[in-house]
């Protein structure tokens, strides 16, 4: 997870729909704006352009109209994450709030080998951090028999991205490239560290964990 601010205010149709007996939060303008704000990626697993998209309620609405139609409670998630989260988590770190530090208070790591599990670590002891870590571990490493397959598929995409990112870093620090070529590689690394990239939190932690990477790229960590 990384910080992804939401456009304010949200689409006006939500207030209109809330007043109806059978209104819908899938009203005009909601999906395009939510897709844009969340950079077309699932806010939880950070899979970019997921094949299956849900508008997810950050706080479970359980029929509460205020929560159901509140623009600030509507998030962009893939089906795997939406199903894993279900209505079981209420006090999570919020990626739309910069102060919540979703990629600073939690460490994200995966070793670039087949069948590796994601290592999600809480860097402070609070309910929001601990609950978010529990959810992210379930998302990346699986729960039920079906979810174990989905999470293995997710990790295989994640590992491919991490290996690609490591190749860029390897090239950047390889002396065989001249300054102009290095600048091209650096621009690619910069793009990978932006919030619109996929699996950005894992990439940012690769930078944070090494002093030389950190010295060269820390200003890009969002
Ligand atoms: Zn997801």
């Amino acid at each position: 997870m990384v910080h992804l601010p939401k456009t304010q205010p949200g689409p006006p149709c939500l207030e209109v729909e809330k007043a109806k007996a059978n209104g819908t939060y899938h009203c005009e303008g909601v999906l395009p704006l939510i897709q844009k704000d969340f950079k077309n990626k699932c806010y939880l697993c950070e899979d970019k352009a997921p094949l299956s998209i849900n508008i997810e309620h950050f706080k479970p609405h359980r029929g509460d109209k205020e929560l159901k139609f509140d623009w600030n409670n509507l998030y962009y998630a893939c089906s795997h994450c939406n199903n894993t989260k279900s209505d079981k988590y209420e006090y999570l770190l919020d990626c739309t709030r910069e102060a919540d530090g979703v990629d600073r208070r939690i460490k994200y790591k995966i070793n670039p080998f087949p069948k590796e599990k994601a290592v999600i670590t809480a860097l402070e002891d609070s309910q929001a951090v601990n609950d978010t870590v529990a959810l992210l571990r379930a998302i990346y490493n699986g729960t039920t028999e079906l979810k174990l397959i989905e999470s293995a598929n997710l990790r295989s995409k994640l590992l491919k991205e991490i290996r690609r990112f490591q190749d860029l870093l390897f090239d950047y620090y390889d002396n065989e490239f001249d300054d102009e070529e290095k600048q091209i590689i650096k621009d690619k690394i910069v793009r990978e560290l932006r919030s619109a990239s996929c699996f950005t939190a894992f990439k940012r932690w690769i930078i944070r964990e090494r002093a030389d990477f950190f010295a060269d790229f820390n200003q890009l960590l969002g």
Side-chain angles (χ1 to χ4, degrees):
M1 256 202 291
V2 292
H3 174 227
L4 297 166
K6 285 181 85 171
T7 301
Q8 299 293 347
C13 71
L14 286 166
E15 280 300 313
V16 177
E17 292 296 317
K18 186 167 78 176
K20 295 181 182 173
N22 290 306
T24 174
Y25 52 86
H26 282 260
C27 52
E28 190 182 356
V30 169
L31 255 178
L33 194 55
I34 215 167
Q35 180 188 26
K36 176 175 159 287
D37 283 354
F38 286 86
K39 321 282 189 195
N40 197 25
K41 68 178 190 177
C42 170
Y43 79 101
L44 288 165
C45 71
E46 290 201 86
D47 185 16
K48 184 99 176 168
L51 288 179
S52 176
I53 296 157
N54 296 160
I55 293 179
E56 197 254 339
H57 289 88
F58 184 64
K59 282 196 186 301
H61 64 79
R62 299 188 184 107
D64 181 307
K65 275 201 155 190
E66 293 301 324
L67 288 173
K68 191 173 177 183
F69 292 91
D70 180 2
W71 167 243
N72 292 315
N73 199 35
L74 302 182
Y75 286 53
Y76 195 75
C78 74
S79 293
H80 170 69
C81 291
N82 192 27
N83 293 340
T84 302
K85 180 171 172 272
S86 185
D87 68 347
K88 296 196 285 281
Y89 298 87
E90 296 213 28
Y91 303 103
L92 299 170
L93 293 181
D94 182 350
C95 73
T96 67
R97 287 165 40 91
E98 186 163 24
D100 277 22
V102 289
D103 74 326
R104 288 197 179 84
R105 295 158 84 185
I106 294 173
K107 184 169 150 187
Y108 303 71
K109 185 172 181 170
I110 190 160
N111 289 319
F113 305 113
K115 300 186 188 297
E116 282 286 320
K117 294 289 175 78
V119 182
I120 311 294
T121 310
L123 299 180
E124 65 174 60
D125 186 16
S126 67
Q127 183 179 6
V129 171
N130 291 332
D131 286 2
T132 307
V133 164
L135 173 58
L136 291 172
R137 284 177 181 161
I139 282 169
Y140 287 114
N141 296 329
T143 47
T144 63
E145 190 178 12
L146 183 104
K147 291 282 166 205
L148 283 168
I149 295 172
E150 289 181 355
S151 65
N153 290 342
L154 175 65
R155 287 197 309 282
S156 122
K157 287 173 91 170
L158 167 60
L159 280 173
K160 281 183 188 143
E161 276 297 314
I162 293 305
R163 289 181 64 199
R164 204 171 57 76
F165 185 62
Q166 288 175 327
D167 280 346
L168 287 173
L169 288 167
F170 189 90
D171 287 347
Y172 182 72
Y173 290 101
D174 190 336
N175 288 330
E176 76 174 80
F177 295 103
D178 63 29
D179 286 350
E180 195 179 330
E181 289 169 322
K182 277 199 162 194
Q183 187 56 50
I184 292 168
I185 297 165
K186 184 169 189 177
D187 290 345
K188 287 183 182 174
I189 293 171
V190 168
R191 273 204 295 280
E192 297 296 327
L193 293 171
R194 285 182 185 149
S195 60
S197 173
C198 59
F199 306 118
T200 317
F202 287 86
K203 294 169 183 167
R204 288 180 178 175
W205 271 101
I206 289 172
I207 300 297
R208 286 196 182 103
E209 290 233 280
R210 278 215 12 185
D212 50 351
F213 295 170
F214 189 76
D216 288 339
F217 296 104
N218 81 83
Q219 72 277 15
L220 306 166
L221 295 184

